[in-house]
Amino acid sequence: MAFMTIRTFATTLLGATAFALSLPAAHAQEQQPSALGRAWNDTRSATTNAWDKTKDGTVKAWDKTKSGTEKAWDKTKSGTEKTWDKTRDGADNAWDKTKAGSEKAWDKTKSGTEKTWDKTRDGADNAWDKTKAGSEKAWDKTKSGTEKTWDKTRDGADNAWDKTKAGSEKAWDKTKSGTEKTWDKTRDGADNAWDKTKAGSEKAWDKTKSGTEKAWDKTKSGTRDAVDSTKNWTKRAGQKVGKWGQDAGKDIHDTFTGDSSK
């Protein structure tokens, strides 16, 4: 209906436009018969009535549209509010359920965690107690074994040391005895060697001394003979020199005197 009203309004508006465009011509023909004036009046009156109807219809249509829009908006708003209320209520309910479920789940988780932690802690304590007890037993066994091992090692070390000490003493006794025997032999050999050396030295010294004495006697005898010979030679030489001097003097005298008689 509103579409038809708009169509009628558009048609009327086109007719009014055409009429307005024809006014100059109508004004030029004012002198024509009054029938045309009556037609114009009729047309104008019909146009005015049509416009009034169109305007009234438009206003009514707008009022209805506005009223319908307001009602539709009211319904929409009301529906939206109801939907929002339902959504909010549903969200609240869902949140309450979620929160309640989360709290229950958290309580269960917390409870389970606490139980698990208690079990874990208890298990850890038990395991630690067993480990500690085992460690103490193992330590006792280790300590006991270590002490036994140490006793065995110490006893073995003492025995080994006693054997070593005894062997060392025996070896030392043998070494000392052998050293003493060796020293006695060395000393005896040294004494014998020294006696032989001393006897040989004494014999050699006697020979040297005897030879030296004999050589000295020969030297002394030779020296005396040389002295005697030198002394005799001096006398002989003096005699010969004296005789030669006498002969030479005589020869010189005879030469100067001319006496050659002997």
Side-chain angles (χ1 to χ4, degrees):
M1 179 178 177
F3 179 73
M4 292 299 293
T5 303
I6 293 172
R7 185 176 181 182
T8 302
F9 171 73
T11 303
T12 304
L13 185 60
L14 290 173
T17 302
F19 175 74
L21 291 174
S22 65
L23 284 180
H27 181 72
Q29 296 178 357
E30 285 181 356
Q31 303 299 325
Q32 291 183 0
S34 59
L36 184 57
R38 286 195 299 272
W40 166 246
N41 291 331
D42 292 338
T43 300
R44 188 179 58 183
S45 176
T47 300
T48 301
N49 291 332
W51 172 248
D52 290 336
K53 289 179 181 179
T54 300
K55 185 175 67 173
D56 291 337
T58 301
V59 172
K60 290 179 182 179
W62 171 247
D63 291 336
K64 289 180 180 179
T65 301
K66 185 174 69 172
S67 175
T69 301
E70 290 177 353
K71 289 180 181 179
W73 169 246
D74 291 336
K75 289 180 180 179
T76 301
K77 184 174 69 172
S78 176
T80 301
E81 290 177 352
K82 290 180 180 179
T83 302
W84 170 247
D85 292 336
K86 290 180 180 179
T87 302
R88 188 177 60 187
D89 292 338
D92 290 339
N93 292 331
W95 169 248
D96 292 335
K97 290 179 181 179
T98 302
K99 185 173 69 173
S102 297
E103 290 177 351
K104 291 179 180 179
W106 169 247
D107 292 336
K108 290 180 181 179
T109 302
K110 185 173 68 173
S111 176
T113 301
E114 290 177 352
K115 291 179 180 179
T116 302
W117 168 246
D118 292 335
K119 290 180 181 179
T120 303
R121 188 178 59 187
D122 293 338
D125 290 340
N126 292 331
W128 169 247
D129 293 336
K130 291 179 181 178
T131 302
K132 186 172 66 174
S135 298
E136 290 177 352
K137 291 180 180 178
W139 169 246
D140 293 336
K141 290 180 180 179
T142 302
K143 184 173 68 173
S144 176
T146 302
E147 291 176 352
K148 291 179 180 179
T149 303
W150 168 246
D151 293 336
K152 291 179 181 179
T153 303
R154 188 177 59 187
D155 293 338
D158 290 340
N159 293 330
W161 169 247
D162 293 336
K163 291 179 181 179
T164 302
K165 185 173 66 174
S168 297
E169 290 177 352
K170 290 179 181 178
W172 170 246
D173 293 336
K174 290 180 180 179
T175 302
K176 185 174 67 173
S177 175
T179 302
E180 290 176 352
K181 291 178 180 179
T182 302
W183 169 247
D184 293 337
K185 290 179 181 179
T186 303
R187 189 179 58 186
D188 293 339
D191 290 341
N192 293 329
W194 171 246
D195 292 338
K196 291 179 181 179
T197 302
K198 185 174 65 173
S201 298
E202 290 176 352
K203 291 179 181 180
W205 171 248
D206 291 339
K207 291 179 180 180
T208 302
K209 185 174 67 174
S210 175
T212 301
E213 290 175 352
K214 290 178 181 180
W216 172 247
D217 291 338
K218 290 179 180 180
T219 301
K220 184 172 65 173
S221 175
T223 302
R224 288 176 181 173
D225 292 340
V227 170
D228 292 339
S229 177
T230 301
K231 185 171 63 173
N232 294 326
W233 178 81
T234 302
K235 289 180 180 179
R236 289 194 299 272
Q239 291 174 358
K240 288 181 178 182
V241 170
K243 184 178 179 181
W244 178 81
Q246 291 176 0
D247 291 339
K250 183 178 179 182
D251 289 336
I252 294 169
H253 180 271
D254 289 338
T255 300
F256 284 104
T257 61
D259 185 7
S260 59
S261 61
K262 296 184 182 179

